[in-house]
Amino acid sequence: MAKRFAALLRSVVVGAALLLAAGQAPAAAQARHGVTPGEFDFYVLALSWSPSFCEASGERSARSMQCAGERPFHFVVHGLWPQFTRGFPEYCQVPAPELERRTVNAMLDIMPAPGLVRHQWAKHGTCSGERSASVFFERVRQARAKVRIPAEFETVSDYRTVSPDEVEDAFVRANPGLTREMIAVQCDERRLREVRICIGRDMNFTACQEIDRRACRRDRLVMPPARSGRS
């Protein structure tokens, strides 16, 4: 029994070490299925650094609108996610109501991939409790409009190195009412991948301990540059 417990303990320690080595704290959030739409505590607005996504995706995205189109994307909306204080709802209506093409096309300026728009509606939008998809995406646009991108990240024309703290501080300075307890930076092995900002149902910034606790733990991150092209 003692040997079995020791082996189990070693596997837990190794698993935690691998998570930390990847720059992430161990995940505590749990998805909840079968939740009644509209039952949640706050939103997370996830803003993806598009050049990191495109660089990591490589050939898979070589012909996509986001990574190979005329417009150079910087921070784009990954999603607006209903959250509980602990855990989050997902896929609250299966199958999800089908999106009209005009609804998808209307979001491509800030969510530049039709598949992303459809996926976010099915996984997260159906949990929002909004009366229609178009109303949910109006909420997404409202949340995005609330967040000001720091000036130093509006134009990144060459590789630059930042720390998670520097990114958080820049967003806090640019957005009155936002504090470090309301934002979390996400990363992969070396790149800045995403900034997640917690917003209450009243569309005001709100603290979110669980989201903040799962932030990137790396010291330095690379921000790949945006492509050249027409903005």
Side-chain angles (χ1 to χ4, degrees):
M1 179 68 73
K3 290 183 178 179
R4 185 179 302 173
F5 177 79
L8 177 61
L9 181 60
R10 282 197 299 272
S11 67
V12 171
V13 171
V14 169
L18 289 173
L19 283 168
L20 291 173
Q24 304 290 341
Q30 295 293 326
R32 301 187 198 175
H33 296 268
V35 174
T36 301
E39 290 187 358
F40 63 94
D41 298 319
F42 61 95
Y43 294 103
V44 168
L45 175 67
L47 299 174
S48 171
W49 181 245
S50 184
S52 289
F53 167 80
C54 294
E55 184 174 277
S57 299
E59 292 184 1
R60 289 178 297 162
S61 59
R63 297 183 179 180
S64 70
M65 169 187 173
Q66 179 174 351
C67 301
E70 291 185 354
R71 178 180 172 185
F73 289 98
H74 302 81
F75 275 109
V76 299
V77 175
H78 180 178
L80 183 68
W81 307 333
Q83 299 278 306
F84 297 115
T85 302
R86 293 188 63 83
F88 54 92
E90 64 177 23
Y91 297 109
C92 294
Q93 188 174 348
V94 179
E98 188 173 348
L99 291 180
E100 295 183 4
R101 180 176 296 182
R102 63 181 180 181
T103 301
V104 175
N105 291 344
M107 296 304 297
L108 295 180
D109 60 322
I110 61 173
M111 301 177 70
L116 172 64
V117 177
R118 295 188 181 95
H119 175 72
Q120 291 299 311
W121 164 243
K123 185 174 183 179
H124 301 288
T126 56
C127 298
S128 67
E130 301 291 2
R131 65 180 182 273
S132 68
S134 60
V135 174
F136 168 70
F137 285 113
E138 287 175 8
R139 180 72 68 176
V140 174
R141 195 171 288 280
Q142 181 183 3
R144 173 61 187 86
K146 181 174 180 63
V147 177
R148 182 176 181 181
I149 303 300
E152 55 263 49
F153 301 143
E154 289 181 349
T155 303
V156 177
S157 57
D158 200 358
Y159 281 86
R160 63 183 296 182
T161 303
V162 296
S163 71
D165 285 346
E166 288 169 353
V167 175
E168 288 193 8
D169 286 342
F171 272 85
V172 167
R173 289 193 302 269
N175 293 274
L178 184 67
T179 68
R180 291 284 298 274
E181 292 75 26
M182 304 171 179
I183 182 173
V185 169
Q186 298 294 313
C187 61
D188 61 16
E189 290 81 0
R190 65 186 186 88
R191 304 178 189 89
L192 170 72
R193 295 303 297 266
E194 199 160 85
V195 173
R196 297 179 181 177
I197 297 174
C198 299
I199 299 177
R201 298 180 65 133
D202 61 358
M203 287 288 108
N204 290 318
F205 299 126
T206 189
C208 47
Q209 292 183 352
E210 184 178 273
I211 305 301
D212 187 52
R213 186 164 54 243
R214 298 172 64 233
C216 176
R217 298 292 184 248
R218 288 194 173 276
D219 293 329
R220 306 299 294 175
L221 303 173
V222 172
M223 291 182 72
R227 296 177 298 105
S228 59
R230 295 186 304 177
S231 299

